[in-house]
Amino acid sequence: MMQRLQGGVIGLGVGEQHILAYNEHPSFDVTTICDFNPKKLAEVSSRYPSLATTHNAYDVLRNPKINVVSIASYDSDHAQQILEAIEKDKHVFVEKPLCLFLEEAKKIVAAHKQKPRLKISSNLILRCSPRFLDLRARIHSGELGEIYSIEADYNYGRIEKLTKGWRGEADYYSVFLGGGVHMVDLVRWLTGAEVEYVYVLANRIATSGSNFKFPDFVSTLMQLDNGVCAKINANFGCVHPHFHALNVYGTNATFINDFPDARLIKSRSAEKCSEQIKTNYPGVAKGALLKKFLNEIIGEELMDYTTKDVLRTMAVCFAVEEAIKTNEKVFVKPIEKQLI
């Protein structure tokens, strides 16, 4: 029998879902969990009493027995922890975003080039949602005709996490990197196309008067290389339940993601009813993509979500970040092509 591999989890908010994914995998064991918050660490540890605990992420990153590390820490910590994991020869699965700044991403790419056998991926989980898998199959079958426009909204619906949580205290926080990244990845995955350039508008009206210092609403227009036009909003201040709104317009049909069911409209007549699509939404555990990642490490499957995919999605987000600052059209440049 192949020796079981060991995993460590840093950050025990969504990171607890990572623990479950490791525990359900026949070839991996979580051995160490980490959170700098003693109360959180004690709470999660009480549910997994056999696991070693630490308040210091580097106890996980530098443990020679750990083969793969899940990083679910604060966004500002991701880059340094990824770089340390690569240096210590560990596979890395990180919550979005991969990192906060282009220069950090370039360092990660340069480090990974020295150790390409290591696997690196990010938890952009909408690729595993049954509803969006169903939509992608319909697009590829031609049921919607030729896609010409997509409108996607990341409606966060949790404004208190900006005004009262760590995001409001952070030196830098981006609602587009923290949420809009999901919709960028979804658009790329559904269309099989890459974003050429972006225009951006942003404001900070919803959180005005709070500790949060950065735009809470970011709206982007994007031109894809296959001619499709896309609009993506990261709307963190909305009075709305957490939801991934998505309208896909094709020459034969329009898909609208509603709750609880989606709709497929195949007629321009108001008298004709739309078809309900009842596939589950989101309908996926937050550790589902991690299971695929672990399978790739042991050679049981190849993920359709590669490190290159992660970087292409991040490149779009960094173009959006630049456009917020410059208020100008910004072309998307692959990160790996920007290395000195």
Side-chain angles (χ1 to χ4, degrees):
M1 292 180 60
M2 185 179 70
Q3 183 179 3
R4 295 175 66 84
L5 301 179
Q6 295 188 17
V9 178
I10 301 170
L12 299 177
V14 69
E16 186 168 2
Q17 299 297 315
H18 293 218
I19 297 173
L20 295 173
Y22 283 106
N23 286 346
E24 292 171 2
H25 199 285
S27 299
F28 286 83
D29 290 313
V30 175
T31 58
T32 307
I33 57 176
C34 171
D35 200 290
F36 73 88
N37 184 324
K39 184 177 179 180
K40 187 67 174 178
L41 184 60
E43 174 199 339
V44 176
S45 177
S46 69
R47 293 191 281 273
Y48 309 94
S50 65
L51 303 184
T53 63
T54 178
H55 302 299
N56 189 339
Y58 290 95
D59 290 341
V60 177
L61 296 166
R62 295 171 180 171
N63 185 335
K65 295 181 180 179
I66 290 176
N67 308 102
V68 56
V69 61
S70 285
I71 296 174
S73 52
Y74 289 171
D75 296 1
S76 57
D77 295 329
H78 288 185
Q80 190 56 47
Q81 290 173 0
I82 292 168
L83 289 169
E84 184 72 20
I86 294 172
E87 182 180 338
K88 301 302 181 184
D89 295 314
K90 302 187 192 312
H91 305 286
V92 183
F93 189 81
V94 60
E95 282 294 324
K96 52 77 187 170
L98 182 77
C99 55
L100 286 179
F101 303 106
L102 175 60
E103 289 306 311
E104 293 177 335
K106 289 161 68 174
K107 290 179 181 178
I108 292 169
V109 171
H112 190 226
K113 283 183 69 176
Q114 301 303 312
K115 298 183 178 181
R117 69 170 187 82
L118 295 177
K119 308 294 183 183
I120 300 176
S121 194
S122 188
N123 199 21
L124 295 170
I125 195 63
L126 294 184
R127 289 174 174 245
C128 294
S129 171
R131 184 165 297 177
F132 297 134
L133 284 164
D134 175 70
L135 170 61
R136 188 170 186 255
R138 292 173 186 269
I139 291 173
H140 286 196
S141 73
E143 185 175 1
L144 276 72
E146 186 174 359
I147 306 303
Y148 61 88
S149 175
I150 298 180
E151 298 179 0
D153 295 82
Y154 186 84
N155 292 329
Y156 193 53
R158 302 163 180 169
I159 193 171
E160 69 281 358
K161 291 195 173 185
L162 296 185
T163 59
K164 298 178 181 179
W166 62 267
R167 295 165 181 83
E169 301 172 357
D171 291 336
Y172 183 70
Y173 184 78
S174 162
V175 298
F176 205 84
L177 285 165
V181 61
H182 277 296
M183 310 315 287
V184 172
D185 193 65
L186 191 62
V187 167
R188 290 186 56 253
W189 179 64
L190 291 172
T191 62
E194 299 295 347
V195 179
E196 290 187 329
Y197 55 82
V198 304
Y199 295 94
V200 179
L201 294 172
N203 64 41
R204 191 178 68 89
I205 294 173
T207 57
S208 177
S210 74
N211 290 332
F212 190 69
K213 305 180 289 292
F214 310 104
D216 54 55
F217 177 80
V218 175
S219 183
T220 73
L221 290 176
M222 302 182 176
Q223 178 67 63
L224 277 62
D225 61 10
N226 64 351
V228 172
C229 298
K231 178 217 76 177
I232 297 179
N233 289 339
N235 188 349
F236 272 48
C238 59
V239 182
H240 194 287
H242 187 70
F243 190 68
H244 307 97
L246 183 71
N247 292 358
V248 180
Y249 297 94
T251 53
N252 293 340
T254 298
F255 171 93
I256 299 176
N257 189 36
D258 283 338
F259 192 83
D261 300 323
R263 291 183 289 143
L264 192 66
I265 303 170
K266 294 186 175 181
S267 172
R268 293 181 174 88
S269 171
E271 287 74 31
K272 294 188 177 181
C273 294
S274 57
E275 173 189 341
Q276 285 186 306
I277 299 176
K278 295 182 176 291
T279 44
N280 289 338
Y281 162 83
V284 59
K286 291 187 177 180
L289 204 58
L290 175 55
K291 292 178 185 177
K292 293 177 177 289
F293 181 71
L294 298 177
N295 282 340
E296 177 161 341
I297 290 173
I298 61 175
E300 288 193 356
E301 71 174 301
L302 290 176
M303 291 180 66
D304 63 354
Y305 190 48
T306 64
T307 303
K308 183 178 179 180
D309 259 322
V310 175
L311 294 171
R312 287 298 168 87
T313 291
M314 290 299 298
V316 177
C317 293
F318 289 134
V320 170
E321 294 290 291
E322 182 180 346
I324 292 173
K325 297 173 184 175
T326 64
N327 200 30
E328 295 179 352
K329 170 182 175 180
V330 175
F331 283 87
V332 177
K333 302 174 184 177
I335 296 169
E336 61 271 21
K337 294 184 179 181
Q338 299 185 54
L339 300 182
I340 298 175

